[in-house]
Structure formats: structure tokens, C-alpha cells
Amino acid sequence: MAHIVIVGAGLGGLPTAYELRHILPKQHQVTVISETPDFTFIPSLPWVAMGLTSLESIQVSLQPRLKQKGINWILGRVDYLNPQDQKISFGEQSITYDYLIIATGAELALDAVAGLGPDGYTQSVCNPHHAIKAFQAWQNFLLAPGPLVVGALPKTSCLGPAYEFTLLADYVLRKKGLREQVSITFVTPEPYAGHLGIGGMANSAELVTKFMAERGVEVIENAAVTAIEPNQIHLGNGRVLPFAYSMLLPPFRGPRFVRQVPGLSNQDGFIPVLPTYRHPEYASIYAVGVVVEIKPPEVTHIPLGVPKTGQMTEAMGMAVAHNIAIELGVFSAPPVTPTLDAICFADFGNSGILFLANPVLPDVATGKRRRAVALSGTWVTWAKALFERYFLAKMRFGTAVPWFEKLALKLLGLSLVAPLAVKRIIKEE
């Protein structure tokens, strides 16, 4: 009997747990450790911060769902990992594992600049607690509107929420008749708007720039936030931006218990992986989602992180689950690797952009992707809302990727995983 432990119950951890329980015989034990009692659909947190939806509507209680599926659940925060003894500790407790899947998401580096985050002078939409505080601050802002500054700091691994927050704010302010009282400035470390940390794709830069111009948003590109004061943000180029409200995405890094283990991660705490998403040195450890190290396709003047969208994260989880099943002898098949195809919906209130990258990073040799599409329209708003409902239904029902979802992806020319070539398998072993 094998004991598989998953740390994290978000977009990566929970679907991976469901998939493992679905494909592994019952003698194998699956345990999920989570710091929070609920699964949260993180892509909808900008809506929560704007008061466009409630936090409760995008959450699923973990304990009854996991219990129903025969998955052990522990509410706790991992403090220590000993990969040699294959043991993890949380509080005064510890458990051993045969396989460990780290799917924690990122730790927010709020100490990168003094004054950053809800305990400082700016807001964030990176977790449920921050989104609620952002909404509370937003309500106060509506009573006394002023300059609005939105953006991201260097090493943020997902810039989409900053774009969404900016244009959702414009949408809400217009509906309330307050837009003329608010100047909106978007600050990004990207070399150009629409770069997205992946070197841009299709007409992403053109569409993003068009939306910002049409909504009267000033865009400051290639900018690093260097200091934050109660009502001022200082940029590396010497410019000072006054603000009455600011939402800045912080830099991302791996969790502390990962960074403390020599050789487990890079200097920022992100975990290197083989094509199977197993760690190169610790054969019992796999990684899924934001915590995975993916190197940027190019070196930018200001460092950026590569985004790991929900679909990419889910694909990593499916690959890891199947590769563990293969190692346990449940399947007789070659290992698989996630394709890293990505679909991302960016909602702007009454319109939005659909980004489709196949795969998310361009080919190293050609600098191109097999396919890259960026489409805009009112339908994107509805599509994101429908996808949110669908994903939450999956998490409540306890399934990862049902057959009809695989069929739909196939019809779109996409897939979550692909078999590894024989030569790659030999190299990994």
C-alpha cells in the first residue's frame, strides 16, 4: 500500500486528489493537507473585490467532499519537510509519505517593498482574505473617489488579475457615475502591455492596448515599484503616483517549507521538475501548479514570472496522478507530460479577452507556438461565468476531468497530457 500526500487543495491539489482516488485501487491511501477549510475558485477573486460576486459563492467546503470520496483531509500548515525520511510536519503532528505532491500555490512576497499589501497601503486579490479586504477598502473608496493605481511588482507570475481589476474598476465606476472623478493608472513590469510574461501571443498586445486606450487608462510599461507610502507609489524611473486606492499584485515565491530544504527549489522557492513533474533529485516528490519552476521564454529588463493558468495546473495534476499510478503498477503505459496548453478568460465587465496558447510558451528553436489566439467580445464575460460554475460543480461532485471535458478539449485541438517519447523516458531514468 502506498500513501500519497498532497499539500494544497486549490486548482492543482484538489483535482489531483480526485483523479488519484479515481484511478488508484482502494488499498492506496490519499491524504490532502490544506491551510483552509474551503476550496476557492481563485480566478473569480477580482469579482469578489469589486463586489460583483460573493466569496461564499465561489467556495466549496473540503471536508464533506473529500470524506465522501474516501480521501483523508488534514487542516493544517506544513512547517517542515524531511525528504530523506519522507516525512512532513504541521504543528505538533507529522506524517510519512510514499509520494508527496506539492500543490501549495505561491507564497506572496509582501516584504518585497515596504507598505505592500493589505497590512500596508495597497490591496491584493491573490487569496480570499485579501479579496475581502480589497472589497472593504473599495467600498470606502467609492465614498471618497480619487486616483486609482493598479498593477504588479517584478516577479509576479500571473498578470491577468491586474488587467481584470483595472478594467472591472472602470466598468463599475462608470455604472456608478463616478468615472470622471477617478484617474486610472496601470503599472506593469512587462516590457509592453500584453506581454503577459510569455513574450506576448497573437494580437494580445494590440487588444490590451486598445482596451486601455478606449477606457482612458494610462499605462506605464517596464516599470518597477520601488517604494510605497500612504498615498504615493514610487517607481524606479523616478515617477511618483498619488493614489486613493491601489491594487498591486506582489511578487510570488515558493512556500517557506520548500525553500528550507537544500536542493529542492531554486532561489525563489520554485521547484524544478522533470517532464513527468517529478523532482530531479527527490524521486518521491512531485510538484503541480504555481510552485513549479518554469523558466521565462526571454530575459526581460525587469524580471517576470511565467503564468500557470488553471488549465495548465490541472494538466500538471493529471500527469502526476497518472505517472504515480504507472509507478505503482496500476497502469501499463508510458509516462505522460502536461502539454501546457492554456485557455484564459479575462473579464472586463461588459467585455473581455479570451487567450488561447497551444502551448503557453513558444518553441525554443522557432520562437513560435502551434497556435495562439486572442479574441475579444461581450461573450467572454459570460463564458468565464459559465466556466466558473462548471469548475465549482466538478469540485462539489468530486471529479477532475470528465470524459465530455476531454472530448470538448479534443474538438478544440487541445489536450491536457501527452505520452513522453522513449528517449525522454530513458534520459529521465
Side-chain angles (χ1 to χ4, degrees), residues 381-404:
T381 296
W382 297 103
K384 179 172 179 177
L386 288 172
F387 181 75
E388 175 206 89
R389 296 296 98 190
Y390 168 69
F391 200 94
L392 286 167
K394 288 200 305 177
M395 297 304 99
R396 292 189 180 101
F397 184 73
T399 186
V401 185
W403 67 267
F404 51 84

Side-chain angles (χ1 to χ4, degrees), residues 286-338:
Y286 288 81
V288 167
V290 178
V291 77
V292 171
E293 178 189 29
I294 299 181
K295 295 181 180 179
E298 60 184 6
V299 177
T300 53
H301 176 66
I302 298 174
L304 300 171
V306 174
K308 293 99 175 182
T309 68
Q311 183 183 351
M312 293 168 63
T313 296
E314 199 171 16
M316 294 177 196
M318 297 308 97
V320 167
H322 282 248
N323 289 333
I324 288 176
I326 290 167
E327 288 193 38
L328 291 173
V330 177
F331 294 156
S332 179
V336 296
T337 191

Side-chain angles (χ1 to χ4, degrees), residues 38-335:
D38 302 305
F39 165 85
T40 301
F41 189 69
I42 297 296
S44 292
L45 288 181
W47 288 347
V48 173
M50 288 282 109
L52 298 173
T53 193
S54 67
L55 179 61
E56 294 75 18
S57 70
I58 61 167
Q59 290 186 316
V60 175
S61 180
L62 290 170
Q63 186 174 24
R65 271 75 185 186
L66 293 174
K67 182 178 180 181
Q68 184 181 31
K69 289 295 177 179
I71 300 170
N72 303 321
W73 178 64
I74 297 171
L75 178 63
R77 179 177 180 175
V78 174
D79 301 310
Y80 178 71
L81 165 63
N82 184 332
Q84 285 77 24
D85 295 340
Q86 297 185 195
K87 182 170 68 174
I88 53 175
S89 302
F90 41 94
E92 297 180 355
Q93 304 179 63
S94 63
I95 59 174
T96 57
Y97 61 84
D98 295 291
Y99 295 99
L100 175 67
I101 303 171
I102 301 174
T104 57
E107 180 180 291
L108 306 179
L110 296 172
D111 55 353
V113 176
L116 178 65
D119 293 331
Y121 310 117
T122 66
Q123 304 302 321
S124 157
V125 292
C126 293
N127 62 42
H129 174 65
H130 283 187
I132 289 297
K133 296 196 75 171
F135 172 60
Q136 294 168 346
W138 180 254
Q139 289 179 301
N140 293 331
F141 172 72
L142 294 178
L143 298 175
L148 171 64
V149 178
V150 184
L153 271 69
K155 293 190 177 182
T156 299
S157 294
C158 186
L159 294 153
Y163 284 103
E164 282 194 301
F165 192 96
T166 301
L167 295 170
L168 283 172
D170 170 85
Y171 170 74
V172 170
L173 291 169
R174 290 182 189 277
K175 286 190 67 175
K176 294 182 178 295
L178 299 174
R179 183 61 177 90
E180 292 184 358
Q181 301 178 45
V182 178
S183 63
I184 303 180
T185 304
F186 182 79
V187 178
T188 178
E190 302 163 276
Y192 55 86
H195 180 281
L196 306 174
I198 58 173
M201 50 165 286
N203 56 332
S204 61
E206 177 185 345
L207 279 177
V208 167
T209 301
K210 179 183 177 183
F211 269 103
M212 294 294 196
E214 289 177 346
R215 305 285 185 93
V217 177
E218 180 187 3
V219 177
I220 304 176
E221 302 165 325
N222 204 32
V225 173
T226 56
I228 303 172
E229 297 176 351
N231 296 109
Q232 291 185 330
I233 292 172
H234 296 257
L235 303 182
N237 61 10
R239 187 167 175 183
V240 179
L241 303 175
F243 71 91
Y245 186 105
S246 178
M247 197 292 289
L248 295 177
L249 300 178
F252 291 1
R253 63 189 175 205
R256 183 180 297 274
F257 79 89
V258 169
R259 303 197 312 269
Q260 288 175 339
V261 179
L264 181 60
S265 68
N266 66 15
Q267 62 181 3
D268 292 318
F270 295 107
I271 301 173
V273 293
L274 297 167
T276 55
Y277 278 61
R278 188 176 72 187
H279 192 275
E281 303 298 330
Y282 299 106
S284 61
I285 296 178
Y286 288 81
V288 167
V290 178
V291 77
V292 171
E293 178 189 29
I294 299 181
K295 295 181 180 179
E298 60 184 6
V299 177
T300 53
H301 176 66
I302 298 174
L304 300 171
V306 174
K308 293 99 175 182
T309 68
Q311 183 183 351
M312 293 168 63
T313 296
E314 199 171 16
M316 294 177 196
M318 297 308 97
V320 167
H322 282 248
N323 289 333
I324 288 176
I326 290 167
E327 288 193 38
L328 291 173
V330 177
F331 294 156
S332 179

